[in-house]
Amino acid sequence: MPWFDGSVRRAGLSITCSSCRWPRGTVQIRCVRSGAVVPDPFLSDAVVIGGGPSGMLAAWRLAKSNARVTLLEAGRDMRTSLCSKVSARMDGRSVREAEKFRLQCHRCDCLTGLGGAAFHFDTNLGYVSGLSRSKLEADGEGRVRAYSGLERTLGGFDRASRSVAEVYELMERFGVAALTQSAPSSQDSVVPDGFDLADGAISTAITVDEAIVMVDALLADALPAGLDLRLGTRAESVRRQLDGTWHVQTATEVLRTRNVVVGVGKLGVGWVQSVLDQNAVVHRPSTKVDLGVRIEAPGEILAPLTASCQNPKFTFLNAQSEPVRTFCVCEHGRIMQYAFEDTVLLDGQHCVTTPTSRTNFGVITTVDVPVGVSGTRHAGDFARAVTTAGRGHPVAQPLVDFLGLGGGGASPGTSLVRVTWGDLATVLGPERVADVTRMTELLENVAPGLIGPESVVAAPVIERIFPAIELSDDMESSAPGLYFVGDSSSKIIGVTYGAATGLAAADSILRT
């Protein structure tokens, strides 16, 4: 450009070139007639990093409110970021017609892309039209209380409830089937003998096909409003500048913005740690992480478990006063395996469109991490210990053998694709074995036959591994203008919770 020379600098302006970074500084453009400062055309209102539920809803809200917002997603759009085996068979058909759930991998790496990991598989949405307190904790003085993770994240139960209701309203607007049943409170659920809490809040499933429709509709609404969507674009670094603005570095340019919303999933935990450190964000290593297993059994045996709701949550406190609970019940689903750093983790897959004959669920303990140890590292070490014993694969064991009852005989059937059958009980250690043993004994009263020859226990499962970040009720960190939402907030996990935090961050930005 002919005007981009030393005269610009002599006039008191400083323009940063995205290619060579010269000259450094803040752009300030003044009208030559009035002297008024002209809004910087290179400075956006927000950059949202991550196109999962939290990032998409945050970006949509900002764009629809006339904010200048860029959404960075390391993956691609939903259709092309699905498993290549599925995409090759779709050819204009729906995911269901492509029989997606017969195509499994032993190390899934198709977890990036618009929609996030959750929407790349049939999934379950909790709390249709109300919020319940499904978590339990002991305070060290003998007092036990139930709470909602979103309640604490957003600063109050009423606000969290309203936010979840709004998330459902938006999802329905974008094509998710309406479901108006009220969700009972934890206190309304019948607590089976031996458990300290049972939560039977109504939830609903969303298939991949429905998720594609929803994402398409959301983008069709946001893009004409000005959303700048960058697919296949990874944020390499996020740095606060002396003037309070932010620079988001990608492989090809520096995006300058007033606010940054970080909404990456579990796979981005190491990158989030670097952002915290580089910007001196107040945080501490997590002191509690979720460690556990998945249990799988024939669907007919576990049918009583899901008779009243799709995803029941049963909790008891173990001998260390740590909560042990069922997690992510997948009725007629599969156990999926995905790559995480140098190990393989397990999760539940809801096979709504192509159900299997088996049901699986997680059993996880919210473990108090040893003093002086990072929870993120502690969880990683747990996962590595299991997969090392499995020679690079998850480890599975017949449940009766795991419990020391014998009589397991041949390996039971399982939806796991590649797994090492071995002595999982020895690998997990006595405390985790005690938790799983107690849970299965209690659930045997709910679903007789669970402790039988066709049941399998497999590991590793880890959750809530992000560093504990100090955040406001609007998800803003100690570095003004830097927000963390969804999984990366360190406060919550899940689709509806994540979407609610994305909206909270966007609303905060719009108020400033």
Side-chain angles (χ1 to χ4, degrees):
M1 299 180 185
W3 52 267
F4 188 70
D5 55 23
S7 62
V8 174
R9 206 168 196 180
R10 288 194 295 273
L13 306 183
S14 181
I15 298 176
T16 302
C17 171
S18 62
S19 298
C20 66
R21 314 287 192 272
W22 181 92
R24 296 181 182 276
T26 301
V27 175
Q28 190 179 66
I29 302 175
R30 293 183 180 274
C31 173
V32 295
R33 178 173 296 182
S34 68
V37 175
V38 179
D40 182 351
F42 304 109
L43 185 68
S44 69
D45 295 303
V47 171
V48 179
I49 302 172
S54 60
M56 284 195 304
L57 266 294
W60 170 84
R61 175 82 96 202
L62 290 164
K64 292 294 288 182
S65 300
N66 298 317
R68 290 190 297 172
V69 55
T70 297
L71 173 59
L72 304 182
E73 167 53 50
R76 298 165 291 168
D77 65 81
M78 271 203 68
R79 287 176 178 80
T80 53
S81 61
L82 292 174
C83 174
S84 57
K85 295 179 181 179
V86 175
S87 299
R89 288 164 173 78
M90 286 179 68
D91 190 27
R93 297 173 293 170
S94 69
V95 173
R96 178 175 183 172
E97 290 169 332
E99 298 190 22
K100 169 179 186 292
F101 296 109
R102 293 186 184 179
L103 304 165
Q104 300 289 309
C105 295
H106 70 285
R107 285 176 182 252
C108 176
D109 59 3
C110 300
L111 301 178
T112 60
L114 281 179
F119 283 159
H120 280 62
F121 303 93
D122 289 356
T123 190
N124 192 275
L125 308 176
Y127 311 114
V128 173
S129 58
L131 189 66
S132 65
R133 294 183 170 102
S134 62
K135 299 291 190 301
L136 198 67
E137 68 177 1
D139 64 3
E141 297 180 3
R143 294 187 296 266
V144 177
R145 63 174 67 88
Y147 67 95
S148 159
L150 190 63
E151 168 188 21
R152 291 186 171 177
T153 301
L154 298 184
F157 191 83
D158 289 344
R159 183 189 182 194
S161 297
R162 290 193 302 271
S163 186
V164 166
E166 182 182 13
V167 167
Y168 266 96
E169 289 172 3
L170 290 173
M171 288 186 174
E172 290 174 11
R173 181 194 304 180
F174 295 130
V176 176
L179 186 59
T180 57
Q181 292 175 280
S182 297
S185 68
S186 300
Q187 291 78 11
D188 295 333
S189 302
V190 176
V191 181
D193 290 343
F195 289 105
D196 297 300
L197 177 69
D199 178 55
I202 299 297
S203 58
T204 186
I206 178 171
T207 67
V208 177
D209 291 317
E210 291 172 317
I212 289 174
V213 170
M214 190 194 80
V215 172
D216 284 349
L218 184 149
L219 292 179
D221 201 36
L223 290 172
L227 172 63
D228 177 16
L229 175 62
R230 311 279 186 93
L231 297 176
T233 305
R234 188 178 301 275
E236 296 181 353
S237 66
V238 175
R239 294 183 185 274
R240 191 165 190 256
Q241 305 303 298
L242 293 178
D243 64 355
T245 62
W246 292 88
H247 284 186
V248 179
Q249 174 77 59
T250 72
T252 59
E253 63 182 323
V254 175
L255 301 176
R256 299 178 55 251
T257 184
R258 294 183 177 87
N259 300 279
V260 177
V261 180
V262 176
V264 301
K266 185 189 296 181
L267 299 182
V269 62
W271 178 82
V272 167
Q273 182 66 66
S274 70
V275 171
L276 297 174
D277 293 340
Q278 289 167 1
N279 296 285
V281 176
V282 177
H283 71 286
R284 57 176 172 77
S286 53
T287 59
K288 295 178 182 291
V289 293
D290 290 343
L291 309 178
V293 304
R294 292 201 75 84
I295 293 177
E296 185 179 57
E300 61 270 19
I301 289 177
L302 291 178
L305 188 65
T306 55
S308 60
C309 75
Q310 291 181 319
N311 188 24
K313 306 173 188 70
F314 297 106
T315 307
F316 67 87
L317 297 177
N318 66 15
Q320 294 77 40
S321 295
E322 298 166 331
V324 183
R325 66 185 187 278
T326 58
F327 172 74
C328 183
V329 179
C330 297
E331 185 178 18
H332 295 295
R334 292 183 183 273
I335 302 178
M336 70 167 292
Q337 303 159 231
Y338 64 97
F340 176 77
E341 297 183 347
D342 58 349
T343 185
V344 180
L345 300 182
L346 302 180
D347 205 342
Q349 185 175 341
H350 298 271
C351 300
V352 178
T353 53
T354 310
T356 73
S357 63
R358 297 175 70 80
T359 293
N360 70 86
F361 60 93
V363 177
I364 55 177
T365 304
T366 301
V367 174
D368 293 318
V369 176
V371 176
V373 177
S374 159
T376 304
R377 177 63 182 271
H378 188 67
D381 288 346
F382 171 83
R384 278 185 288 274
V386 176
T387 52
T388 296
R391 299 183 296 281
H393 302 298
V395 177
Q397 188 173 13
L399 181 59
V400 289
D401 291 345
F402 180 89
L403 300 177
L405 301 177
S411 300
T414 179
S415 62
L416 288 162
V417 176
R418 193 175 301 173
V419 63
T420 297
W421 293 93
D423 186 0
L424 180 59
T426 298
V427 178
L428 294 186
E431 291 181 340
R432 300 293 75 80
V433 171
D435 292 342
V436 176
T437 299
R438 181 60 175 158
M439 179 63 78
T440 54
E441 290 172 348
L442 294 175
L443 289 179
E444 177 71 17
N445 297 323
V446 177
L450 168 62
I451 301 178
E454 289 301 309
S455 297
V456 174
V457 56
V461 174
I462 62 174
E463 297 288 348
R464 303 176 196 275
I465 62 174
F466 279 89
I469 309 170
E470 183 177 294
L471 298 176
S472 72
D473 294 343
D474 293 322
M475 316 308 295
E476 188 172 19
S477 72
S478 62
L482 179 60
Y483 296 77
F484 293 85
V485 297
D487 285 15
S488 58
S489 71
S490 75
K491 312 300 180 187
I492 54 92
I493 58 176
V495 174
T496 49
Y497 277 15
T501 59
L503 292 174
D507 289 341
S508 175
I509 290 170
L510 293 170
R511 288 193 297 268
T512 58

